[in-house]
Amino acid sequence: MLTALLILWPAVAALLVLLVKGQGAKKVAFGAALVELLLGIWAWVGFNPADSSAQYLINLPWIESAGIVFKVGMDGISLLLVLLTVFLLPLIILSTFKHNYERPSSFYALILFMQTGLIGVFTALDAFLFYFFWEVALIPIYFIAGLWGGENRIRVTFKFFLYTVFGSLFMLAAFVYLYFQTPGTHTSELSAFYQLVLDAGTQSWLFWFLFIAFAIKMPVFPFHTWQPDTYAEAPTAGTMLLSGIMLKMGIYGVLRWLLPVVPLGVSQWATVAIVLSIIGIVYGAIIAIRQHDMKRLIAFSSISHVGLIAAGLFTLTEQGLQGVMIQMLSHGINVVGLFFIIDIIQQRTGTREIAAMGGITQKAPFLTVCFMVLMLGAVALPLTNGFVGEFLLLMGVYQYNAWMGAVAGLTIILGAVYMLRMFQRVMFGETNHITEVFTDLTFTEKAVLVPLVIMVFWIGLNPNTFLNISEPAIGQLLNVINR
Amino acid sequence: MTSLILLSIFGIVNLFLGFMKSKKVLMPMVMLFLAVSLGATLLDWNNPQTYFNNMFTMDNFAVGFTAVMVLSTLFILPFSSKYGRDEDGNLAEYYSLMLFSLVGGIMMVGYENLLMLFIGIEIMSISMYILAGSDKRNILSNEASMKYFLMGSFFTGIILFGVALLYGATGSFDLTTISDAARNIDAGNAPLLLMGLLLVLIGITFKVGAAPFHFWTPDVYEGTPTVFTSYMSTVVKTAGIAAFYKLMSAAFGGVYEQWFPTVVAITVLTLLIGNIGAVAQTSMKRMLAYSSISHAGYLMIALTSFNDRSENAILFYSLAYSVATIAAFGILKYVADERKSDAYEAFNGLGKTNPLLAFVMTVAMLSLAGIPLTGGFFGKLFLFSAALEQDMLWLIVVAILMSAVGIYYYFRVIIAMYMKEPAGERITVDALASFTLIALVVLTVLMGVLPDLFNDLL
């Protein structure tokens, strides 16, 4: 019941928010997101980490004639992502408190509605249900970015939407094909897909159908071209949703719906996928170094970081997959925090140009500390969350192929280059006429950043809290893959 | 069968209602007629009956499609309320023509005999030729009527020629007899039979607006008054595709191998021309015309797959497509009347001035594009499933690529409505039309969330 509640509550709350007139909508939305957070914590408390199977299982008939069921549940992998979603969403909503968006009730209703889609994606155990939620998560973000974004929002978000739908249609085709391979009266349940025995040729093309869908979402090079523009044009809350949570849908999709379903396809194409991912690591980092706009810099750095996660996915080692799990959390936390800080700086100074800043440290020590912690988390300094994830991921890639591991390792060096360079130019040095009047964080801003900073250290110092949750599920997943 | 008789009587009664001074009574009466006919249709559920010496059957297939057509008409009517206020005095006649054309439509889905099919097509089409030209002072409407009439009669002739050849090959108009003959195809008669089949196929392809005989669609749709365009693109298409399906399954199942390549070629061509043609349009109405071509293509996928799933899929898709299309045309009518243009630009900022209209339009566009939470998604899913069961992966890949193209032009409307500055003042919509729009949205979402309520009927 808890899973259904987690899925349904944001949708119900979205309808409630629609009824609220004016800027009160944000408070109602924030309250609803907090309730969802409590539900998530409740699920965490009652979760049995030793059990590798799906818990809080709900299995209701949905489209009986076609054998499609409303089957949702959470194993460790799902739980972590659900927790990430319910943790970030209130912070994302809180981060928008100082903005007075036009038509606020629609804005916040869309955010909550998207949460329904996201939780649905992370818990669905039926292929069509998964697809269903996948698209449900997509529509709100299209409107969020398209309605409240920057100048080029229409062209940019449209490109993003076309890309994603194009990919997901291929996923749908693959699912329908798999559905017909299930014996007897067909079923689209995940467990039935896991039991399928398909020949290598079929798995080979199925791999690409599924890979394209998920790779576009992550995004993996060369399917990334929608990403920097969309991140830059979307309102900051939209960018946070996209980078913090939504791109995890792609990674999760690979983990849950690609690797175990077409393992032979994976063994044929893993090298190609990893090479593409590693190209993305280096390419994203190099372009990030050249950026003048802070938001675009973080957007490209995200391509680089996600590239490493993607590479880890296809190593099929326990370290690699555990690294994927923990890095998904870390990346979500860091990137949301960084985008928020950029938004704060933009609010105060009216620009995102790195060259225009300087000396903010003198004016805003609290901001500096938060920014530094998050930045160091992003460049994977030991004791921060990024280190744990990147270490495990690099270990996984290294086990797969030492050379690939070496090239992938460039992410740490290059990451330090662009992050520290940005930090230095923005925060240190002399103040100028723009940063002269810079003020430190307000209470609301602190309320967003402090939990993120705490999480950076929590994961960095005691990653086992989270690794233990996903470990049995990852083990189980590897069993399915190596069956 | 009761619905057939009732609609004929109602059509005549309605003509007499036209003598009344007040035109206000007409629409409520016609809606009542339709509601009664819908009820009568549903009474025939699970009670197959044959009439007119085996020339007409009211089985579940016919009941299902009749219900979709009558329901569609019922939904279309509220958008014609503006006509009641016009100086135009022929409202009763227009409504009667719609009712008569429905009678033709029912004959097209229940026929057991090619003569019945032919008569059905004629009854339906002749009414439509007149309705296409009902905006008499508009030169485009005249052109539409003329074009539709000339083309339509030409293709009716082709069908008739085909029917004659089939009679020559099999000695009967009866579907069962033709089917038997086709199964045990006699080498001497084979060319005759196949030629006859090809000609009938060409004729019906024209009626459903499938490529390469689609060229009339954009012009006729554009010129026809929007309410009747809406009727044309939903009811006429549903009747045509159901007749098409029935013809191929009941009469020519035995020569599947022979007609399969032709039908697949038509399907692919229709998908390509419909979708790519729609991208190039600047007028919303012409876009919807091309979109209706493309949907004929999706529906025809069920013809090529041809298994026990496809019948259901085609019915479900027809309903989902009709509901969304009626909503789209209904809103288009309001916007075009108010802003004197049916270009995309006329929709600019509708989200600000008329949130309800914009929302309904969004749901309709999402449904036509096949996005989840709408009936259009499951429509496509069921059609694609039917085809994939038949291992036609390549065809589905084409359909998927074309669906992605479809998103481009359907979303242009959404972009115009929400992301551009308003093109005009708030548009007033009367209560009945607003209510209908809400009902259409509810139905679309219901089909998208609980498709089982509508699926698995046949």
Side-chain angles (χ1 to χ4, degrees), chain A residues 341-397:
Chain A
I341 286 171
I342 290 166
D343 189 51
I344 292 173
I345 294 177
Q346 191 187 2
Q347 287 292 313
R348 304 257 206 286
T349 62
T351 174
R352 298 193 303 242
E353 281 293 312
I354 296 173
M357 321 262 179
I360 294 177
T361 311
Q362 300 162 32
K363 301 287 172 186
F366 202 109
L367 174 82
T368 311
V369 173
C370 293
F371 192 0
M372 185 140 100
V373 171
L374 289 162
M375 189 260 313
L376 292 176
V379 298
L381 193 81
L383 298 187
T384 65
N385 57 358
F387 176 73
V388 185
E390 296 211 345
F391 180 74
L392 285 168
L393 283 168
L394 286 172
M395 215 155 86
V397 179

Side-chain angles (χ1 to χ4, degrees), chain A residues 269-402:
Chain A
W269 295 110
T271 312
V272 177
I274 296 178
V275 168
L276 287 178
S277 309
I278 291 177
I279 293 175
I281 296 175
V282 179
Y283 166 91
I286 290 174
I287 297 183
I289 293 176
R290 299 290 309 154
Q291 292 307 306
H292 307 294
D293 178 325
M294 297 166 79
K295 208 171 174 186
R296 287 185 75 88
L297 186 144
I298 302 294
F300 278 107
S301 87
S302 187
I303 294 183
S304 174
H305 285 125
V306 171
L308 184 58
I309 301 183
L313 271 173
F314 291 98
T315 61
L316 301 185
T317 56
E318 199 189 333
Q319 282 84 358
L321 294 184
Q322 280 284 58
V324 167
M325 286 313 299
I326 204 81
Q327 190 63 2
M328 276 203 267
L329 303 185
S330 308
H331 177 263
I333 289 159
N334 296 337
V335 87
V336 163
L338 288 172
F339 275 126
F340 183 52
I341 286 171
I342 290 166
D343 189 51
I344 292 173
I345 294 177
Q346 191 187 2
Q347 287 292 313
R348 304 257 206 286
T349 62
T351 174
R352 298 193 303 242
E353 281 293 312
I354 296 173
M357 321 262 179
I360 294 177
T361 311
Q362 300 162 32
K363 301 287 172 186
F366 202 109
L367 174 82
T368 311
V369 173
C370 293
F371 192 0
M372 185 140 100
V373 171
L374 289 162
M375 189 260 313
L376 292 176
V379 298
L381 193 81
L383 298 187
T384 65
N385 57 358
F387 176 73
V388 185
E390 296 211 345
F391 180 74
L392 285 168
L393 283 168
L394 286 172
M395 215 155 86
V397 179
Y398 184 81
Q399 281 177 31
Y400 186 83
N401 181 315

Side-chain angles (χ1 to χ4, degrees), chain A residues 62-66 68 102-103 113 128 131-133 135-136 139 142-143 145-147 153-154 157-158 161-162 165-166 169-170 172-173 176-177 179-181 186 205 209, chain B residues 309 351-352 362 366 371-373 377-378 381-382 384-386 388-389 391 393 396-397 400-401 403-404 407-408 411-412 414-415 418-420 448-452 455-456:
Chain A
W62 181 28
I63 309 172
E64 280 178 81
S65 54
I68 301 174
E102 265 184 77
R103 282 170 289 166
F113 193 62
F128 293 117
Y131 182 83
F132 190 83
F133 283 126
E135 299 286 289
V136 167
I139 306 263
Y142 167 72
F143 281 105
L147 287 174
R153 61 183 191 280
I154 296 177
T157 48
F158 194 47
F161 190 79
L162 266 183
V165 170
F166 181 74
L169 284 169
F170 275 95
L172 182 64
V176 176
Y177 181 85
Y179 168 78
F180 280 111
Q181 305 307 309
H186 306 302
W205 66 259
F209 271 46
Chain B
R309 277 171 192 278
K352 285 207 179 96
T362 307
L366 292 177
I371 307 281
L373 272 182
F377 168 67
F378 280 109
L381 182 65
F382 293 146
F384 291 1
S385 303
L388 272 182
E389 199 173 18
D391 268 342
L393 189 70
I396 298 311
V397 172
I400 284 175
L401 291 174
S403 298
I407 286 163
Y408 177 78
F411 268 70
R412 276 180 69 184
I414 299 180
I415 289 173
Y418 286 105
M419 301 176 194
K420 304 266 171 77
V449 178
L450 296 169
D452 243 16
N455 197 24
D456 215 17

Side-chain angles (χ1 to χ4, degrees), chain A residues 194-236:
Chain A
Y194 282 3
Q195 279 154 19
L196 288 176
V197 183
L198 301 166
D199 62 88
T202 312
Q203 293 204 18
S204 176
W205 66 259
L206 277 172
F207 172 87
W208 283 103
F209 271 46
L210 293 166
F211 180 71
I212 288 175
F214 300 135
I216 288 175
K217 206 75 157 195
M218 285 195 250
V220 169
F221 177 89
F223 306 102
H224 66 283
T225 55
W226 62 268
Q227 191 251 33
D229 289 343
T230 312
Y231 279 22
E233 288 298 330
T236 304

